[in-house]
């Protein structure tokens, strides 16, 4: 009879350990999702900082010339695409 008690006790311990692991995995998944969300928030904030910086500094400060050139090239491509879209609509 003691053997059955031991088996029951071991089964209970295994079940509790499994539940603890499942809880830990659930918490890990939630924390990972929270971090993904926070990373997106950080990107949004960086984007806003960059927009304000460029608005307040229309001429490239020393060391930012290459980035300003890249931005101008991207804006030129966007404008060309918009013009082509306008032509296609006509």
């Amino acid at each position: 009879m003691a053997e059955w008690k031991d088996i029951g006790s071991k089964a209970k311990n295994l079940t509790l350990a499994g539940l603890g692991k499942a809880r830990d995995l659930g918490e890990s998944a939630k924390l990972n999702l929270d971090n993904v969300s926070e990373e997106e928030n950080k990107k949004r904030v960086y984007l806003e900082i960059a927009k304000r910086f460029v608005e307040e500094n229309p001429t490239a400060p020393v060391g930012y010339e290459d980035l300003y050139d890249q931005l101008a090239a991207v804006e030129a491509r966007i404008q060309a695409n918009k013009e082509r879209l306008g032509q296609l609509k006509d």
Side-chain angles (χ1 to χ4, degrees):
M1 190 71 152
E3 290 176 18
W4 286 108
K5 239 185 192 181
D6 288 343
I7 291 173
S9 178
K10 287 180 182 179
K12 180 180 176 184
N13 289 340
L14 285 173
T15 300
L16 292 175
L19 289 174
K21 271 294 190 203
R23 184 176 45 246
D24 290 349
L25 288 173
E27 185 177 359
S28 292
K30 181 190 179 308
L31 290 171
N32 281 323
L33 286 174
D34 288 347
N35 279 347
V36 168
S37 178
E38 291 303 331
E39 287 292 333
E40 288 301 315
N41 287 335
K42 187 168 96 173
K43 287 179 187 177
R44 184 184 48 78
V45 171
Y46 273 127
L47 180 62
E48 185 61 31
I49 290 168
K51 283 181 182 178
R52 288 184 188 184
F53 182 85
V54 171
E55 288 172 0
E56 294 171 7
N57 300 282
T59 304
V62 175
Y64 289 84
E65 297 90 356
D66 186 47
L67 293 171
Y68 271 62
D69 290 344
Q70 290 177 36
L71 181 60
V74 169
E75 288 174 347
R77 288 191 301 268
I78 290 170
Q79 187 58 38
N81 288 342
K82 285 181 179 180
E83 289 173 8
R84 181 65 181 137
L85 284 169
Q87 293 172 353
L88 293 172
K89 287 181 183 178
D90 293 339

